[in-house]
Amino acid sequence: MPYNKVPFQTQAPVLSWANHDLGSNEIKMAKNVASLPFVFKHVALMPDVHLGKGALVGSVVATKDAIIPAAVGVDIGCGMCAVQTPFTATQLEGKLKKIRQDIEAEIPTGFNQNKTVDKSVTNWQDWRSFKDLHKGVQDLETKAMRQMGSLGGGNHFIEVCLDTKDQVWLMLHSGSRNIGNKLAQCHINTAKQLAKLADNALPDPDLAYFVKGTPEFAAYWRDLQWAQHYARTNRDVMMERFRRIVEKHLVGGKPTKPLLQVNCHHNYAEQEVHFGEEVYVTRKGAVRARQQDYGIIPGSMGAKSFIVKGKGVADSYCSCSHGAGRLMSRTKAKKAFTLDDLVKQTAGVECRKDPGVLDEIPGAYKPIDEVMANQSDLVEVVATLKQVVCVKG
């Protein structure tokens, strides 16, 4: 659907691809961001937009010569990875539970980490720059090394999926783990301290920012790029393990060649050119969707997901949604649903069905088909997937 211009007056307009009215808190958050003097042209809201911290989740903010660390968020580089395999649904028959058990045994979830460091991690050249990161994370190198190749918690997941042609896909969602979180917190705190010293009249303390040309900006940008690379590599390491697990069960461990691979961030910032000007684009819960860019838009642990190709729509800053988006908070979901609801809503999926994942119940998320309909002008669907195995963080 084409965007709607949100009807309030701010320094920059707000364009929305959501077909629902924003709540009062969402309006306030959108106004706060759009009122900042360095926001470029307009703010774009994706169909899955909902409350975040500082900036709305599902928002794309382009800025001139400044960047807001809290708008990027604390899970720097969080995103998705998907692989289309040469396998078909019939090869999975009778093997789903064993595949799930092996995933849970070989890929750490939650706060867990690897007992030893994977060879692919020690070979990652970016580790040579660890000593150059913010001093607040200098004692985390060992932990960061061991967390490489681990899923994390919350809404992070690993899934075996089938497309409409019964082709097997592998998909996962994760970010920069503890090291990304700590880096973000260090820089957010610095930005807030600078704002206090300068007596900046910010509409929200979480919108404290760095100005290009300052040491603080340079330090944040360096650490941001490092954490984004960490997040992408983390997904690559997990996906390689995931592929080996599936290959073990389906073809006796024989290596296979993927038919398509996609790895994309949805919590990050990059320097890009839009409307003829170089700007810093922060996608907080949004995927880059330039023309021919591949992206991944997941639903929930009981709903469809989509592999998409971007259409390069300028007004969205060449972006699309990063998922269905939460309909209710985790606390509210736990009160609104029962374990029986979880069992019904995840019928046919080999997954946990216990109180620990009740807040991730499909009913806590917006209907993914509605979200996709609202961005038909932003992306085209390449494949529609439905999970048969889901491992939650």
Side-chain angles (χ1 to χ4, degrees):
M1 83 170 197
Y3 65 80
N4 292 314
K5 188 173 179 180
V6 182
F8 49 68
Q9 294 298 314
T10 45
Q11 186 269 338
V14 176
L15 311 184
S16 175
W17 272 261
N19 71 345
H20 61 275
D21 293 332
L22 300 179
S24 58
N25 290 331
E26 291 171 325
I27 289 173
K28 183 179 180 181
M29 193 166 280
K31 279 185 174 181
N32 287 344
V33 173
S35 67
L36 296 171
F38 50 83
V39 170
F40 174 70
K41 200 164 175 65
H42 61 262
V43 174
L45 305 182
M46 299 296 99
D48 59 339
V49 66
H50 57 280
L51 283 176
K53 192 168 185 179
L56 293 165
V57 178
S59 64
V60 185
V61 184
T63 52
K64 290 285 287 184
D65 300 328
I67 193 161
I68 311 163
V72 177
V74 294
D75 194 358
I76 298 172
C78 184
M80 299 284 303
C81 185
V83 167
Q84 181 185 16
T85 76
F87 308 127
T88 58
T90 54
Q91 292 172 273
L92 290 172
E93 291 178 6
K95 301 170 183 175
L96 298 183
K97 188 171 184 178
K98 290 182 179 180
I99 289 173
R100 176 193 158 197
Q101 290 172 336
D102 277 0
I103 294 169
E104 292 173 339
E106 296 183 33
I107 300 178
T109 61
F111 293 105
N112 295 330
Q113 59 190 30
N114 298 287
K115 293 180 181 178
T116 58
V117 178
D118 192 288
K119 184 178 179 181
S120 60
V121 175
T122 58
N123 288 343
W124 183 39
Q125 291 185 349
D126 267 20
W127 284 111
R128 66 188 178 204
S129 63
F130 198 101
K131 65 182 184 299
D132 298 323
L133 297 177
H134 193 286
K135 63 181 181 180
V137 302
Q138 289 298 312
D139 61 338
L140 296 177
E141 181 171 4
T142 299
K143 183 172 185 176
M145 292 281 279
R146 289 181 176 173
Q147 282 197 327
M148 176 69 81
S150 64
L151 186 66
N155 62 353
H156 293 166
F157 63 80
I158 299 171
E159 291 184 341
V160 178
C161 304
L162 296 176
D163 64 18
T164 53
K165 297 179 181 178
D166 275 349
Q167 198 85 32
V168 175
W169 289 70
L170 311 182
M171 187 166 69
L172 58 85
H173 172 209
S174 190
S176 53
R177 305 298 286 111
N178 179 256
I179 187 68
N181 184 305
K182 293 298 183 183
L183 277 172
Q185 289 183 27
C186 287
H187 289 289
I188 289 169
N189 289 337
T190 299
K192 288 181 176 180
Q193 290 166 9
L194 288 176
K196 283 183 180 179
L197 289 172
D199 198 25
N200 283 348
L202 291 169
D204 182 341
D206 283 314
L207 294 179
Y209 57 90
F210 294 130
V211 177
K212 185 178 180 181
T214 62
E216 293 83 5
F217 182 102
Y220 176 64
W221 192 253
R222 175 201 65 213
D223 289 358
L224 178 74
Q225 298 304 310
W226 185 94
Q228 288 173 183
H229 192 170
Y230 178 103
R232 185 181 296 277
T233 307
N234 182 42
R235 292 191 290 272
D236 283 338
V237 172
M238 277 190 288
M239 182 56 77
E240 183 58 31
R241 292 181 189 167
F242 187 13
R243 282 178 53 199
R244 289 200 300 264
I245 290 168
V246 174
E247 287 167 351
K248 179 183 77 172
H249 287 283
L250 303 194
V251 288
K254 180 181 177 182
T256 58
K257 187 176 181 179
L259 304 181
L260 178 68
Q261 299 180 78
V262 187
N263 192 338
C264 57
H265 297 317
H266 56 225
N267 279 353
Y268 73 113
E270 288 290 357
Q271 203 167 15
E272 300 177 358
V273 175
H274 292 275
F275 299 98
E277 296 192 46
E278 195 169 74
V279 293
Y280 294 95
V281 178
T282 296
R283 294 186 176 91
K284 186 182 182 76
V287 178
R288 193 183 69 185
R290 299 177 307 186
Q291 200 163 25
Q292 301 303 306
D293 268 347
Y294 281 101
I296 306 167
I297 305 175
S300 64
M301 63 188 291
K304 291 180 287 187
S305 296
F306 299 87
I307 307 297
V308 299
K309 194 179 286 185
K311 294 184 178 181
V313 175
D315 286 326
S316 72
Y317 297 111
C318 298
S319 307
C320 66
S321 86
H322 81 311
R326 291 197 74 91
L327 190 61
M328 60 180 71
S329 70
R330 296 183 182 280
T331 300
K332 188 175 180 180
K334 288 178 179 179
K335 293 178 180 178
F337 296 104
T338 66
L339 286 182
D340 285 342
D341 295 325
L342 179 64
V343 171
K344 290 175 183 176
Q345 292 184 29
T346 58
V349 182
E350 175 62 42
C351 65
R352 289 172 57 192
K353 302 176 194 282
D354 59 62
V357 294
L358 187 56
D359 55 355
E360 282 293 304
I361 190 170
Y365 285 84
K366 296 176 183 177
I368 188 63
D369 285 327
E370 183 179 306
V371 170
M372 293 304 296
N374 292 342
Q375 57 188 334
S376 59
D377 60 327
L378 303 182
V379 295
E380 65 171 294
V381 175
V382 174
T384 300
L385 313 181
K386 182 68 175 67
Q387 68 277 89
V388 290
V389 174
C390 177
V391 173
K392 297 296 294 187

